[in-house]
Amino acid sequence: MSEYQYYEFAALDRPLSSRQQAELRARSSRATITSGSFINEYHWGDLKGNPVEWMHRYFDAHLYSANWGHCQLMLKLPTDALDQAMLEACLQPSAEHGQSDALESSVTGRHCVLTWSLNDEAGENERFWSKDDGPGWLSRLLPLRQELLRGDTRPLYLGWLARLSAGELGDDDLEPPLPPGLATLTPAQQALVDFLEIDPDWLQAAAAASPAEPGQEEQEYDLWLEQQPLPALRQVARLLLEGRGMEAERGLRRRFLDWQRGRRPRISSAPRRTLAQIATGYATVRERRLERERLAQAELEARRLAEHRARLAALAADPERVWQEMDVQLKRGSGSSYDQALNLARTLAEALRHAGREEDFKQGLAELQRHHGKRPAWITRLRQAGLLG
């Protein structure tokens, strides 16, 4: 299997300047480079640069995948836009396994680069082995950045679950503060679960104690705005006029969330559980899922069997049409046509056997053999299939 790596970077808050694009072009002559992105595939060699450094210098998002089962998502955010207590809890070194590889953070100046990783050392992650599979992931995952900027901590908690799925946590390790709405993920958050191959049973076991998303923000906006001093609102308007809309939204959103937390904390105040405590519900969740899958599979098999029997009944009701088609195929005299005729013979034999008319099949086959019984390749196929006495 040849080597394959896919790199995609996106500049969101500020487009790349001509000089920056030239700097990136000096690193790669084959990459597709625009004011908003850098995309390249490698079948040999590697990226001539450090993705984390590129994120701090040029970009706001990065997606990497390789055909040996390694993938990464990086998002750059203003440090003050993140819930630092939640982030520290998600990154807390395990007493048993130490630092995290599945979720990491790199801070430079006022920005933080978050990295979610999957490293499938067993080579079972064939999702990334196709050259067409790297593209598309970043567009599915990119809304996570806006969710984090708006105070949603579920992507961070999913990073902690990725650590769990990667075997980086022990029974005595504490979970982060449990965010609301973990049982009702956004499409981007569900894409992150798929991207990192987070165990769905651990996710459901953890989400069992997660409260529903409050969903009352729009009703609270007016109440909060009435309490805001005019100079603060003027400052937001000034940022908008200067073309700094995202900065204005982040600041406004951060102040709103601080006020909202004072009224009703968005993060659950329930005691933080150890991994061992979450594990008590894991076996039940897994057993229920497997039972649902077993019932669904049984229902599917029953439906397939009913459809197969209906097809057999239709063939048994009009066997002459099948004999005619077999005659047409045999007259062509090719190996593939003999194979098609044999498949028809097997199916018709089964249909007439289910209808209790095995003698009809023998008589029909004898009639067919009167015209084609001297074809050695055809006779060999019938004997190997057990259709000739």
Side-chain angles (χ1 to χ4, degrees), residues 50-57 59 73-79 82 84 87 91 100 103-116:
N50 184 308
V52 176
E53 293 178 1
W54 282 25
M55 285 292 290
H56 283 296
R57 185 171 184 180
F59 297 106
L73 169 69
M74 294 184 183
L75 296 176
K76 182 173 73 177
L77 304 100
T79 304
L82 290 169
Q84 292 300 318
L87 179 58
L91 294 171
S100 169
L103 179 65
E104 298 176 283
S105 171
S106 170
V107 178
T108 298
R110 296 184 302 167
H111 288 91
C112 171
V113 173
L114 297 175
T115 303
W116 294 260

Side-chain angles (χ1 to χ4, degrees), residues 164-305:
L164 170 57
S165 294
E168 294 182 359
L169 299 172
D171 288 345
D172 295 331
D173 290 319
L174 284 175
E175 71 170 334
L178 188 62
L182 196 60
T184 53
L185 300 178
T186 67
Q189 291 163 12
Q190 185 57 55
L192 184 62
V193 171
D194 298 338
F195 185 70
L196 299 175
E197 296 191 339
I198 294 173
D199 188 325
D201 298 329
W202 278 114
L203 173 58
Q204 187 174 349
S210 174
E213 190 72 11
Q216 301 176 3
E217 288 185 350
E218 292 186 5
Q219 301 174 16
E220 295 180 327
Y221 288 157
D222 290 337
L223 178 61
W224 179 73
L225 286 170
E226 289 174 358
Q227 302 175 24
Q228 299 310 295
L230 185 58
L233 296 180
R234 283 177 174 166
Q235 183 182 10
V236 173
R238 178 64 180 266
L239 290 173
L240 291 173
L241 290 172
E242 293 175 353
R244 298 158 64 186
M246 296 195 69
E247 183 180 347
E249 181 185 355
R250 285 198 300 269
L252 200 65
R253 184 75 181 179
R254 186 167 59 251
R255 292 199 297 272
F256 171 74
L257 290 177
D258 289 342
W259 172 84
Q260 191 184 56
R261 290 188 187 101
R263 288 169 52 82
R264 48 172 178 77
R266 288 174 61 84
I267 293 181
S268 171
S269 59
R272 291 166 60 183
R273 299 167 293 180
T274 64
L275 182 56
Q277 289 172 324
I278 299 176
T280 59
Y282 174 82
T284 300
V285 166
R286 178 176 175 80
E287 183 179 340
R288 289 174 179 172
R289 176 180 62 81
L290 293 176
E291 178 63 14
R292 288 194 303 270
E293 291 177 357
R294 187 192 66 77
L295 292 174
Q297 184 63 30
E299 181 180 346
L300 178 62
E301 291 298 329
R303 186 164 61 249
R304 287 174 176 170
L305 180 59

